[in-house]
Structure formats: C-alpha cells, structure tokens
Amino acid sequence: GAVVSQHPSRVICKSGTSVKIECRSLDFQATTMFWYRQFPKQSLMLMATSNEGSKATYEQGVEKDKFLINHASLTLSTLTVTSAHPEDSSFYICSARDFVGQETQYFGPGTRLLVL
Amino acid sequence: GQNIDQPTEMTATEGAIVQINCTYQTSGFNGLFWYQQHAGEAPTFLSYNVLDGLEEKGRFSSFLSRSKGYSYLLLKELQMKDSASYLCAVRGSGGYQKVTFGIGTKLQVIP
C-alpha cells in the first residue's frame, strides 16, 4: 500500500519554542492531507485539512495562527506548532489521500510531541 | 456534523469470533472505514464500505447498512496480536470529504 512518512517521530522541546513536523507521501501524489491530534485514551481529532497550493481549512477550536500548515507540494505538508506549551503535548498524525484512489486515507506513523 | 458511537472496551478469547458495532449519525455520508491502532502507533487501514453489505477480507469482515446508520467489524479466529483499538470512521460528503473518527473500541484478546 501507499506509504506516508512523518518526521520527526518524537520531539521534546521547551515551552515557548516552535516545532515543525513534516509529512510526506512517498509513492503517490497527495492532493489532500489531513492533520490529526490524539490525546491519551482519546480518538483522533481532525485539526485541519489542506490541499496543495491553497490555504488550510481548520476545524472549529483549532487556532490557525498557532498551528501553521503548509502544503507546498503534492508530496509534502508541514505542521508548525508555534510557541508550544505543555498542553500541546500530544500525538500528531498526518494522513494523505491521492486523487486516483480516493477510497483510502493513508496515515503516517505519527509524531509524539512533549513540551516541557 | 458527525456523531459516531462504538463500545469503549471489549474482551474476547483467543480463537473466538468478536463483533464490534458502530452506529453513526451524519449530515452527509461517503463511506465508512475501520482502522486498527496499536498503542502508541498510528492507525492502519482495515476496511472501507460505501455500499450496503458485507465485505470480507481474510479474518476480517465489515458490514454496512446505510439506512440504519450501522456498521460492524467481525474478527474471526482471534489471535493475541489482535489486541488493539479498532476505530470506526465516517467520511462526509462535503468538499474535502473529511473523515471523522469514533472514540475507538479497545479489544483485549485473552488466552
């Protein structure tokens, strides 16, 4: 199946710093990428949807100025958590969908963020 | 919006069959997914249903009834490695066809 990678897999940072997470589709062109966040013992919550070359669409309650999303190419999307705080500590997972086979969404392995 | 309900926990015996139910109420529907998620890992795709009926794939089968807003995932010949969370997710019919997840059912397989 299609492969989606994320980098880094784990990051620890100090409060107030910014963290960038990359999501890449390795063997297909991802017209749409989704960013999810998952807190312990909870389900995946959609944060935002991005299409290549256009602005991301954020879900209600997600601050677009805090979670910057860039989808500059058909194989790369980035999520930047700006001025991170301990409450932003979570498991961030990206997901990508190609155009030809829109049936399935493929998930990256996730990035575990810990803000001290 | 989307509202997805599934049991939070289930326990089943190795070698047995278990059925995990999912009900949903949505403003638009364009398919239902089942994903498996082991602790600390990202979800992996199990099945996708968009038409009514049963889809069988090895030990795993998934059923959908659109009129009832109901799906189930059937796991046969349970193995210890099947212990995981199983997420029911519904894709909407809006422009981006967003996928919304249920809380997940944590399945524990016991010897």
Side-chain angles (χ1 to χ4, degrees), chain A residues 47-68:
Chain A
M47 299 175 66
T49 303
S50 72
N51 278 330
E52 182 264 341
S54 61
K55 288 184 179 180
T57 301
Y58 290 81
E59 295 300 300
Q60 193 172 10
V62 178
E63 300 175 58
K64 62 179 181 180
D65 294 329
K66 180 171 180 64
F67 300 98
L68 302 179

Side-chain angles (χ1 to χ4, degrees), chain A residues 34 36 38 43-44 46 49 51 57 59 91 97 102-103 105 107-109 112, chain B residues 33 35 37 40-43 45 48 87 91 96-99 101-104:
Chain A
F34 304 86
Y36 291 85
Q38 187 177 33
S43 190
L44 281 74
L46 181 64
T49 303
N51 278 330
T57 301
E59 295 300 300
F91 192 40
R97 188 169 69 211
Q102 287 214 5
E103 181 173 298
Q105 251 179 245
F107 283 85
R112 193 163 298 282
Chain B
F33 297 86
Y35 286 87
Q37 186 178 28
E41 299 180 9
F45 171 79
Y48 172 73
L87 309 176
R91 183 155 78 190
Y96 289 126
Q97 298 185 7
K98 296 184 295 186
V99 175
F101 284 80
I103 190 119

Side-chain angles (χ1 to χ4, degrees), chain A residues 4 23 25 28 30 32-34 94-98 104-107:
Chain A
V4 176
C23 176
S25 58
F28 67 100
T32 306
M33 284 188 170
F34 304 86
C94 74
S95 178
R97 188 169 69 211
D98 62 16
T104 306
Q105 251 179 245
Y106 302 98
F107 283 85

Side-chain angles (χ1 to χ4, degrees), chain B residues 46-49 53-63 72-74 76:
Chain B
L46 291 178
S47 67
Y48 172 73
N49 295 68
L54 186 68
E55 295 276 346
E56 297 186 75
K57 194 182 294 184
R59 294 190 299 116
F60 292 53
S61 302
S62 56
F63 171 84
Y72 68 74
L73 178 70
L74 194 71
K76 302 176 186 176

Side-chain angles (χ1 to χ4, degrees), chain A residues 4 7 9-10 15 18 24 32-33 35 37 40 46 54 59 63 77-78 84-86 91 93-94 99 101 109 116:
Chain A
V4 176
H7 177 80
S9 58
R10 183 183 296 268
S15 184
S18 293
R24 294 181 186 272
T32 306
M33 284 188 170
W35 286 95
R37 179 167 55 182
L46 181 64
S54 61
E59 295 300 300
E63 300 175 58
S77 176
T78 61
H85 292 284
F91 192 40
I93 308 173
C94 74
F99 180 76
L116 302 177

